[in-house]
Amino acid sequence: MDKDNCLRVGTYVNTHGIKGEIKVYPHTDDITRFSDLESILLDTRDGLISYDIESVKYFKNMAIIKFAGIDNINDIEKYKGSDIFITRDQAVPLEEDEYFLCDIIDAEVISDDGDKIGTVKEVLKTGANDVYVVAREGLKDLLIPVIPSCVLDVNIDEKRVTVHLIPGLSDI
């Protein structure tokens, strides 16, 4: 299995206690989503390793996950810092006009005039709205708010985002 067909849902940030539980920082809109999963993939130096989930609980903004067969801190501590993935078939079904943020990373960004602006390199979560960080050749990154007046179309199949650059948004 390769990561291209997976979605990152969290990062293993620390152990929790001595019985093999781990603290996971979620990269998902719904932290309780971990309770619906039967297994995850841990991205280790040895590649992706599948673990069955025995139990999940929540503390503050973290998920605390216990894997089946991992009963000692020493069995899991070595993977601290690893990202946690799920397969696409484990993902929440999307509504029409919804997409996974990872699917627009490296998407070409073009203006409504047809000019190539750059590529999406990151998506920032600001609370009010997401912001696309657009890498531009020879220029500093451009920040585009994901609001209807700026982002006109997102085409996942063609990896293309069409935007309207409102006055003051760009230095070009």
Side-chain angles (χ1 to χ4, degrees):
M1 166 112 11
D2 63 35
K3 287 190 284 189
D4 291 342
N5 295 315
C6 297
L7 300 170
R8 184 176 70 139
V9 294
T11 302
Y12 164 23
V13 294
N14 210 345
T15 56
H16 180 79
I18 60 170
K19 299 189 184 215
E21 292 178 311
I22 66 170
K23 288 182 184 177
V24 174
Y25 179 79
H27 299 292
T28 176
D29 290 341
D30 181 8
I31 188 174
T32 63
R33 173 77 177 98
F34 290 97
S35 296
D36 298 331
L37 298 173
E38 293 180 11
S39 65
I40 58 92
L41 298 165
L42 199 59
D43 186 17
T44 71
R45 291 179 285 287
D46 301 322
L48 292 176
I49 299 175
S50 179
Y51 284 100
D52 290 332
I53 295 175
E54 185 175 299
S55 66
V56 180
K57 56 189 175 185
Y58 302 95
F59 183 70
K60 296 187 179 179
N61 64 339
M62 301 279 189
I64 299 176
I65 299 177
K66 169 80 172 75
F67 297 128
I70 302 293
D71 299 313
N72 185 308
I73 189 174
N74 297 324
D75 296 335
I76 198 70
E77 189 173 33
K78 61 186 171 190
Y79 298 130
K80 191 183 333 184
S82 298
D83 283 329
I84 295 174
F85 291 85
I86 60 171
T87 57
R88 284 190 180 263
D89 62 332
Q90 292 174 290
V92 175
L94 296 174
E95 300 292 325
E96 188 174 334
D97 295 329
E98 287 186 328
Y99 51 88
F100 294 112
L101 296 181
C102 63
D103 289 336
I104 64 162
I105 300 299
D106 297 327
E108 178 182 41
V109 179
I110 59 169
S111 72
D112 49 353
D113 296 330
D115 296 329
K116 183 177 180 345
I117 297 170
T119 57
V120 177
K121 79 173 196 180
E122 184 180 0
V123 179
L124 302 175
K125 306 289 273 177
T126 66
N129 54 268
D130 292 348
V131 175
Y132 293 160
V133 179
V134 179
R136 302 181 295 171
E137 196 169 317
L139 297 168
K140 66 180 182 176
D141 292 346
L142 179 64
L143 303 178
I144 299 178
V146 182
I147 55 176
S149 60
C150 289
V151 177
L152 306 177
D153 183 58
V154 176
N155 187 322
I156 297 301
D157 295 330
E158 296 180 17
K159 293 222 35 128
R160 185 181 64 238
V161 177
T162 304
V163 299
H164 173 72
L165 296 178
I166 57 176
L169 192 61
S170 175
D171 51 7
I172 58 171

